[in-house]
Amino acid sequence: MTIVTEHLPPLSYEEHGVVTGYSTEIVNAILSNANLQAPIQVLPWARAYQLAQTQANTLIFSMTRTKEREQEFVWIGPVSPRQIHLYKLKNRKDIQIRNPGDMRAYKIGLVREMASSKELIRNYAIEDKHIDYAPTVDSNMKKFLLGRVDLIVSQDWSAAYLMKTLGRHPDELESVLLLDNKHQYYLAMQKDTDPALLQRIRQSFEKVQQSGLMERLRIKYMR
């Protein structure tokens, strides 16, 4: 069994060489209850996504469940809500977003292959000349804070957490557009995964879901 995720704090991230985070703790609880062992690999999202598409018995998290992805994976979840915003720095008074079309006047920082990036491009017809891609949410946020991009697309929990870890205050961010709050994060498995393994994970997930662990972890990580 292979388990992959990306660096998306506070859902999944490495701390002192150990993979942790809200979704990671859920996955570890599922593995424990199912009496399974497998290391969790933190990879750039594009690489993790490719593995989850092509390598049997691969579990990926946290994955946005979209119509385009529905038939590509086997879905387990949901594990958490998801709100995606378009942010600017509050002190950037020169940036004015009165309607979605205004974002085309600025450079937008996106993470390659993330659902939120694809959704922005598809829903608002954003051309490549307005986009600056980053491999991870960390590098995207750092470019944003350095002024190399004017706007970023980010999940709300992640944006707040990253600002704190970079020594900044979340109040420095201003959401100029709520892009999506209709999807949720899931665990997903490669569609050719062994049925017996999939069944063990599904049953274990149901036990974790009923245990109240998810709510306790939301309090721990989202405060």
Side-chain angles (χ1 to χ4, degrees):
M1 182 178 179
T2 301
I3 305 176
V4 293
T5 187
E6 66 173 325
H7 183 76
L8 183 64
L11 301 179
S12 51
Y13 60 99
E14 286 189 83
E15 188 172 69
H16 308 302
V18 177
V19 185
T20 187
Y22 169 84
S23 298
T24 305
E25 290 206 36
I26 292 172
V27 170
N28 283 332
I30 291 169
L31 293 175
S32 178
N33 285 339
N35 197 26
L36 293 167
Q37 291 186 340
I40 298 173
Q41 302 177 55
V42 179
L43 303 171
W45 182 250
R47 174 62 177 148
Y49 191 84
Q50 180 191 38
L51 276 173
Q53 284 182 306
T54 58
Q55 185 170 306
N57 301 335
T58 297
L59 171 70
I60 186 171
F61 70 97
S62 302
M63 175 87 84
T64 306
R65 187 171 184 171
T66 64
K67 182 173 66 175
E68 293 75 20
R69 291 173 172 172
E70 186 65 32
Q71 303 304 317
E72 294 187 19
F73 301 94
V74 179
W75 299 92
I76 303 166
V79 294
S80 97
R82 173 183 180 267
Q83 278 200 10
I84 303 297
H85 293 260
L86 182 69
Y87 288 104
K88 74 168 188 173
L89 286 172
K90 198 173 288 184
N91 64 7
R92 288 288 305 271
K93 305 300 183 184
D94 57 307
I95 299 176
Q96 299 293 324
I97 307 291
R98 298 180 180 85
N99 59 70
D102 290 342
M103 72 176 81
R104 296 189 188 92
Y106 306 100
K107 185 68 77 173
I108 306 168
L110 300 179
V111 179
R112 196 174 297 278
E113 288 300 325
M114 287 188 76
S116 56
S117 301
K118 294 178 179 180
E119 289 166 0
L120 182 86
I121 294 167
R122 181 179 63 250
N123 294 340
Y124 299 101
I126 304 299
E127 299 175 358
D128 280 350
K129 65 182 180 181
H130 302 302
I131 298 169
D132 190 304
Y133 282 108
T136 67
V137 293
D138 290 65
S139 56
N140 197 38
M141 180 64 79
K142 287 174 182 176
K143 286 195 295 184
F144 173 64
L145 294 176
L146 288 171
R148 289 171 56 189
V149 295
D150 304 304
L151 303 163
I152 60 165
V153 172
S154 179
Q155 190 245 16
D156 55 347
W157 294 350
S158 180
Y161 188 93
L162 285 169
M163 289 292 282
K164 292 174 185 176
T165 59
L166 292 171
R168 306 288 288 265
H169 199 284
D171 285 348
E172 293 181 62
L173 295 175
E174 180 180 336
S175 172
V176 295
L177 193 63
L178 173 63
L179 296 173
D180 183 53
N181 63 354
K182 297 177 182 177
H183 295 92
Q184 298 187 76
Y185 285 116
Y186 280 70
L187 313 180
M189 295 205 72
Q190 202 268 351
K191 59 184 179 181
D192 296 321
T193 291
D194 177 67
L197 174 62
L198 179 60
Q199 181 66 10
R200 288 174 69 182
I201 292 173
R202 282 193 187 281
Q203 290 175 344
S204 184
F205 171 79
E206 289 174 5
K207 291 178 182 178
V208 170
Q209 193 176 39
Q210 294 164 8
S211 71
L213 176 65
M214 292 182 186
E215 184 55 37
R216 295 194 296 274
L217 290 175
R218 285 191 188 102
I219 294 169
K220 174 180 177 180
Y221 284 101
M222 314 310 167
R223 64 182 183 271

